[in-house]
Amino acid sequence: MNSERFDAWAAGEIDAVESALDAWVPAESPAGLGEAMRYGVLDGGKRLRPLLALAAAQCVGGAHDAALRAACAVELIHAYSLVHDDLPCMDNDVLRRGKPTVHVKFGEAQAMLAGDAMQALAFEILTPEAGVEPALQARLCGLLARAAGHAGMAGGQAIDLASIGVSLDERQLRDMHHRKTGALLQASVLMGAACGDATPQQWAALSEYGDAIGLAFQVVDDILDVTQASATLGKTAGKDENNNKPTYVSVLGLDAAKRHACELRDTAQAALARSGLADASCLQILADRVVERDS
Amino acid sequence: MNSERFDAWAAGEIDAVESALDAWVPAESPAGLGEAMRYGVLDGGKRLRPLLALAAAQCVGGAHDAALRAACAVELIHAYSLVHDDLPCMDNDVLRRGKPTVHVKFGEAQAMLAGDAMQALAFEILTPEAGVEPALQARLCGLLARAAGHAGMAGGQAIDLASIGVSLDERQLRDMHHRKTGALLQASVLMGAACGDATPQQWAALSEYGDAIGLAFQVVDDILDVTQASATLGKTAGKDENNNKPTYVSVLGLDAAKRHACELRDTAQAALARSGLADASCLQILADRVVERDS
């Protein structure tokens, strides 16, 4: 797959994800809850996690129906974490994807409930009455729960919270980001891979790929936070510095952070090269895009 | 099972639940997150939901290991909902089970993250690497996700939020409580039943039992809110009235609410009588206890 064919593939898959989320996130739900959930997850974001899941599934010949559920479930977890993260008791942010954040539009209590319901919905989507093997449903739920919980994303956010104004070394920073961002990105790849028949060698390589790409994503995020304007990012720029949070740029410096992002991309590509997968080109291109993005 | 043997059975099962939660809710977790999670779920509460799950499993000859996981998972969902419900943007409550609420002790942001991580942990507990059939894992995750999410608990809380100062009729009140409290109590019974080989007749009867007992629990909660002191309840009494929230007492009056609780208990007992279960005595006694409790 070359870059042009990748773009066509990605556009088609993003359409499928948007349609599926539109169908699965309730429009009719009590007291405006569904509306707040839909506002928090529809029509926004790069859909990187869904694309990683769908690309990994494609590489291992995974069933598309199951992979689409995995893709939407990880995106719901990601979206709920943003809704909660933006609340006044956390980052207190008013702008996300160029729009007012959920609590600005719907109030704090509704935003919290919408986030809670989005987490539950992720597991609901993974457990349909038919169409996905029960054993695969269980495996996907387990991978997602572990990536989202105390050892993964929520744990990373707790470290993030505790690190305001604190000086972290690179190892501590890496641990925080491995959990906060990396765990769910890696889970996206592995949940996609679980939808097919990955060999142990392929699984290990995809796990390493997801790990490297997860960290690369955060390093680039830290770089963009200081090099881009809010309008380009669609969210408040300079936020980490303003909040006195340690980042790869503050710990390594801008140039070294840029070099580190490229090294991590190379690590991810090397893992794919070792995987024995017949065609991992869409994951290769995704790794390049993660590092080369400007928003 | 008579009342005395029930007490011994329940005490043993509560011990098992406490030990399992103690083992499964992380003591070592980043930046104090595990500590906040443990504070929110250990050593407190009547453990009604776990007992319903374990009792239902016992009635259908369900595997105890799986039922114990189901019991702890529903309790984690219940406990996380209390942690979030007590936050300043929701009920703003400072007292729970006679102790300061999680956000009073750990701060709002940590309380929100602890709740989020507790929800993820519930699904983690339901998906162990071994010991529970994958198909049962998937079924338990599906039942729990649907009871916790937009159509269940979170949806009921959204209605609750929107009903402050609003006059609801009995049908609307019932709908709110069916979702807010009833869905998870019913799911407790059904998740326990899923651990064994319930016939369709037994499943339908247990579903009806769970539905009636779920509503009875809330009616009694509304009664206790006006008849008991905070010290007895271990939480702030008179809260609904102070918050101007509709309750069974405000809609029906105290005497009619008491009669309604008894009618719902009778409905639950009638469902058990029709279930064809050889011995449903522990569920029968639990139904009595739900209505006769004073805290």
Side-chain angles (χ1 to χ4, degrees), chain B residues 31 91 133 144 197 261 275:
Chain B
D91 280 358
E133 277 291 308
L144 189 62
D197 290 318
S275 68

Side-chain angles (χ1 to χ4, degrees), chain A residues 26 30-31 80 84 87 89-90 108-109 112-113 116 119-120 124 127 134 137-138 142 145-146 149-150 157-159 161 179, chain B residues 26 30-31 80 84 87 89-90 108-109 112-113 116 119-120 123-124 127 134 137-138 142 145-146 149-150 157-159 161 179:
Chain A
Y80 112 70
H84 280 188
L87 280 167
C89 70
M90 297 283 289
E108 283 180 51
M112 198 179 62
L113 287 177
D116 290 345
Q119 179 165 198
E124 204 173 313
T127 53
Q137 294 185 17
R146 282 157 184 80
H150 65 93
Q157 286 179 302
I159 300 176
L161 200 66
R179 296 171 188 259
Chain B
Y80 113 69
H84 280 188
L87 280 167
C89 70
M90 297 282 290
E108 283 181 50
M112 198 179 62
L113 288 177
D116 289 346
Q119 178 165 198
F123 293 97
E124 205 173 312
T127 53
Q137 294 184 17
R146 282 158 185 80
H150 64 93
Q157 285 177 302
I159 301 176
L161 200 66
R179 296 172 189 258

